[in-house]
Amino acid sequence: MHLLFATSIVPDGALSSGYEIANQAIIDALRRAGVRVTVLGFGWPGKPPSDPENTILLGSLDVRTDVAPLQRKLGWLANAVASGLTFASAKLRIVSDETVRQAIAAAGPFDGYILNSVQMAAAFESLFQDRPSIFVAHNVEFRSAAENARAANGAFQRLLFRREARLLEVIERRLCRNARFVFTLADEDRAELGVASDTRSVALPLVTRSQLPAHQGKRDIDCDAALIGTWTWEPNRIGLDWFLGKVVPHLRNDFRIRIAGSVPAGVSSPHPGVTFVGRVPDAQAFVRSAAVIPLISTSGSGVQLKTIETFELGLPSVATAHSLRGIAYKPANCTMTDDPVAFARALERTVDQKVAEVDGSDFHRRQIAALDLAVAGGVARLGAGAHEVAA
C-alpha cells in the first residue's frame, strides 16, 4: 500500500518538538506495517527533508508566530479572516490549489491519505477528498484554543483564540466524519472528537525514538530539576506559568531548577534557584543531568511527549495527572499530584532521597508493540476503504 502523508512541516531529522517526534514515530510505524509512505508538505527554511527520496516539498516556510515580524503576523491574520480559515491554516496558503494538486499527482499512484493534524488538512481540504483517508488528531485543537482564550492576557488575543476555537470545532469534527479512520494520541480525545467507537478510531501509544540509546552509565547530577520545552506554545506556557507561580514558591531557596527552551518575554521567577538557560545542544544530556524531572502539563489535549521520553530514559519524575494522559503505565519512580504544595514536597523528597532511575526499556518495548498494533489496524481499515472506492 502507498499512502501520501500530508503535513504542514515535513520531517528534517531534527525532532526538536513534540509534534515532530510524534510525526516521525507514526511514519516509522506505518513503514513497519509495510506501507510505502510519501510525505507532502513544507520544509523549514534552510533545512532539507530527512528522507528526500520520499518527500515532495511545496516550498519552505517558518510557521512560528513568536519570531515572525509584525507585518507577517498581520498578513496571516488578514488571510485567515478573508478565507475563513484558522490562523494556523492560513499560514500555509502561500501556494495555490493547483500547485498542491500537481504535487499530489507527482506522488504517482497511491491508495489514500494520512492527513496529519488539522493545519494542512484544513488549508487544502477539498484536494484531499478523492481517496480514503486517515486523520491524525494530535490534539483536540478546538479545546486547546478555548483554554488558550481563557488564559490570554489581552482582549485582542482572547478574541483571536475564541475565533480559532469556533472554527476548529467545526473543522475537526468534519475531518473526523469524512475520514475512513482516526488516530488520536490520547484515548480521551476520541470521545471529544465524536469517534469513540473502535471501528472509527484508536489512540496511538507513542515513542520518542525507534530504538533506545545504549545505557549511558552513571548520571552526573548538576541540578535538582530540569525542564525543557517550547514554552512559546500556549499549552506549554500555561503549564510553565502554573509551575513558576504555584509550585516554585513552595520550594526551598537552595533548590536548583534549570529551564531550557524558548521562553516568551515576561516569563521570570523571583526564586533564587531558577535559571533560564535557553537552547541546549543536547536535550537528552540536559535532562539526564537533573535529579528529578517535573512534568507540569495542566492544559491541552493529546499526549505529552516529554512524559514518554522521561519514562523511556527511566528518570525520576513528579507529574500532574494531565501529564499522564494517554500513558497506560506509570513507573515506580514517578509521583503524581496536582496539588502545588504536594508537588513541591515531592520534588524535594525525590532529590533528598536520591531516587534512582529505572530501566525504561520495558516501557519502550510495550509502547512500540502497542503502537504497531494500533497503526496496523488503522491501515487495514483504510485498505478496505480503498478497495471500496476502486470497486
Side-chain angles (χ1 to χ4, degrees), residues 280-304:
V280 293
D282 187 331
Q284 185 175 309
F286 174 75
V287 295
R288 279 179 51 83
S289 71
V292 62
I293 306 301
L295 301 170
I296 59 172
S297 175
T298 61
S299 70
S301 52
V303 71
Q304 295 297 312

Side-chain angles (χ1 to χ4, degrees), residues 369-380:
L371 170 62
D372 286 353
L373 183 64
V375 165
V379 168

Side-chain angles (χ1 to χ4, degrees), residues 67-323:
V67 299
L70 179 60
Q71 186 175 1
R72 185 177 304 161
K73 293 178 185 177
L74 292 175
W76 285 336
L77 179 58
N79 288 341
V81 172
S83 62
L85 293 171
T86 64
F87 190 72
S89 289
K91 294 177 183 180
L92 306 181
R93 295 290 305 186
I94 62 170
V95 296
S96 67
D97 283 0
E98 183 55 33
T99 297
V100 178
R101 192 176 288 110
Q102 291 175 6
I104 292 172
F110 64 96
D111 302 288
Y113 298 101
I114 305 291
L115 300 179
N116 184 51
S117 196
V118 68
Q119 294 84 5
M120 184 70 168
F124 301 98
E125 188 172 356
S126 64
L127 304 183
F128 301 128
Q129 296 178 358
D130 59 326
R131 290 172 175 83
S133 66
I134 291 175
F135 176 55
V136 184
H138 284 245
N139 304 280
V140 182
E141 299 283 0
F142 73 82
R143 184 158 66 79
S144 295
E147 290 175 347
N148 294 345
R150 289 192 292 271
N153 293 322
F156 183 66
Q157 189 179 39
R158 188 157 48 248
L159 182 66
L160 288 181
F161 278 127
R162 285 175 177 168
R163 176 186 182 272
E164 296 286 293
R166 287 194 303 272
L167 291 174
L168 283 166
E169 184 166 11
V170 174
I171 294 168
E172 286 179 285
R173 293 195 186 283
R174 184 171 65 239
L175 289 170
C176 288
R177 187 170 61 250
N178 291 340
R180 173 68 52 173
F181 202 70
V182 177
F183 290 152
T184 69
L185 304 189
D187 197 61
E188 299 91 328
D189 294 350
R190 299 168 64 208
E192 195 150 11
L193 290 168
V195 289
S197 166
D198 291 344
T199 63
R200 293 286 295 118
S201 71
V202 70
L204 302 183
L206 292 183
V207 291
T208 66
R209 63 208 81 202
S210 294
Q211 292 185 327
L212 287 181
H215 183 63
Q216 299 180 18
K218 181 177 172 53
R219 294 189 296 141
D220 294 322
I221 305 300
D222 60 11
C223 68
D224 294 313
L227 299 90
I228 185 170
T230 306
W231 308 113
T232 50
W233 188 51
E234 198 66 24
N236 286 354
R237 165 71 183 270
I238 292 170
L240 183 61
D241 287 344
W242 175 82
F243 180 71
L244 294 176
K246 303 293 186 181
V247 177
V248 168
H250 298 289
L251 292 167
R252 58 186 180 237
N253 284 341
D254 64 349
F255 195 91
R256 301 162 300 161
I257 305 165
R258 293 182 180 172
I259 301 174
S262 177
V263 177
V267 173
S268 63
S269 172
H271 190 284
V274 174
T275 304
F276 296 92
V277 300
R279 185 178 179 84
V280 293
D282 187 331
Q284 185 175 309
F286 174 75
V287 295
R288 279 179 51 83
S289 71
V292 62
I293 306 301
L295 301 170
I296 59 172
S297 175
T298 61
S299 70
S301 52
V303 71
Q304 295 297 312
L305 269 298
K306 289 302 173 190
T307 301
I308 291 173
E309 181 178 39
T310 299
F311 290 177
E312 286 175 340
L313 296 174
L315 300 177
S317 61
V318 180
T320 61
H322 202 277
S323 296

